[in-house]
Amino acid sequence: MKAVFITGASKGIGKGIADAFLKQTDYTVFNISRSNTVVNPRLQFLQVDLSDKNALLNFNFPDHDYEKIVLINNAGTLGELKHAGAMSDTSIFSAYMVNVVAPHVLINKFIKHFNDLIKEKIIINISSGAASSVYDGWSVYCASKSAIDQMSRVIDHEQDLINASSKFKVYAIAPGVVETAMQQQLRKADEADFSRKAKFIELKDNQALYTPAEVGQRFVELIENTESIDGVISRISI
Ligand SMILES: NC(=O)c1ccc[n+]([C@@H]2O[C@H](COP(=O)([O-])OP(=O)(O)OC[C@H]3O[C@@H](n4cnc5c(N)ncnc54)[C@H](OP(=O)(O)O)[C@@H]3O)[C@@H](O)[C@H]2O)c1
């Protein structure tokens, strides 16, 4: 069997990816999040609140001799859409926990746990155009996605140096604009906190958003054929 561990597979893009992997009968799918909505004998739910330091530190990947393993750090939050100075301090902590600290800790645990496996080992971090764009109200989110890109570059480089023959392949992939709860949050935001809100309403009105199912299928295609991924940092197109 092959295994894919997806954070935040209960809804949105993560659920789209889980549903697409469940169509591949050789995959066991693990949903690492606070809740689960997918019922399937090949899906296992590992309940973790990724904003909770102790829950994250106590998390362990299960033992199994998989022929291919994939970690998809997908769970993410916009956090509080507010300008710096107006945010609550605690919202900053919990958003960086989910967006940056949890992916980094999970990568560390994943590499440690599966290092001796000589089969295919893949780490996908879900990034965003926000990694290099400036949107007011998104300081935590934009900084989080920049961190995801740099984390991916450096860990991929480390793997090239120490483990070239059996390396973990590491990628940061932006999924495009996808119709999920995160987009709904943007469209409902107060314009005083996020002046570019109209752009996201327009994208929705013009039906320019991908669906989670389309994006999920695209991620399966990329993971089944990593040679088609355009470098460590890329953006999907459908
Ligand atoms: N939607 C877009 O247009 C878009 C564009 C670029 C990048 N992205 C990125 O794509 C990823 C998924 O976004 P989405 O739009 O699908 O968001 P979403 O619909 O809001 O789903 C977020 C997922 O993250 C999980 N999550 C949130 N907080 C968590 C916590 N404390 N502990 C564990 N899991 C948690 C949620 O699971 P539970 O609630 O069950 O815990 C949920 O499954 C994010 O990294 C986002 O930055 C999205």
Side-chain angles (χ1 to χ4, degrees), residues 50 69 78 86 101 104 124 135 159 166 200 207:
L50 297 171
I69 45 152
L78 287 166
V101 179
H104 214 147
I124 307 274
Y135 289 104
Q159 288 292 310
S166 176
F200 290 85
Q207 300 181 334

Side-chain angles (χ1 to χ4, degrees), residues 205-225:
D205 290 346
N206 293 337
Q207 300 181 334
L209 283 75
Y210 295 145
T211 66
E214 288 173 319
V215 171
Q217 184 52 40
R218 189 77 188 108
F219 271 100
V220 171
E221 289 161 11
L222 292 172
I223 289 163
E224 290 298 77
N225 182 17

Side-chain angles (χ1 to χ4, degrees), residues 60-66 113-114:
N60 290 308
F61 286 98
D63 281 323
H64 197 289
D65 190 16
Y66 296 109
H113 192 77
F114 292 112

Side-chain angles (χ1 to χ4, degrees), residues 121-156:
K121 302 176 286 198
I122 300 170
I123 297 168
I124 307 274
N125 297 314
I126 304 295
S127 186
S128 165
S132 54
S133 303
V134 173
Y135 289 104
D136 67 310
W138 292 27
S139 59
V140 170
Y141 187 70
C142 291
S144 297
K145 293 305 182 184
S146 290
I148 282 289
D149 283 3
Q150 277 296 75
M151 192 188 300
S152 305
R153 283 189 183 98
V154 174
I155 298 170
D156 180 73

Side-chain angles (χ1 to χ4, degrees), residues 7-15 31-36 45 48-52 73-78 94 98-99 126-130 141 145 173-183 185-186 200 209 212:
T7 64
S10 57
K11 61 180 180 182
I13 294 170
K15 181 172 183 302
N31 169 24
I32 305 170
S33 59
R34 292 169 299 185
S35 63
N36 186 49
F45 175 39
V48 185
D49 180 345
L50 297 171
S51 69
D52 177 339
N73 277 311
N74 161 77
T77 176
L78 287 166
S94 55
V98 176
N99 292 351
I126 304 295
S127 186
S128 165
Y141 187 70
K145 293 305 182 184
I173 304 179
V177 187
V178 189
E179 179 57 335
T180 67
M182 194 175 270
Q183 288 295 318
Q185 185 186 347
L186 292 175
F200 290 85
L209 283 75

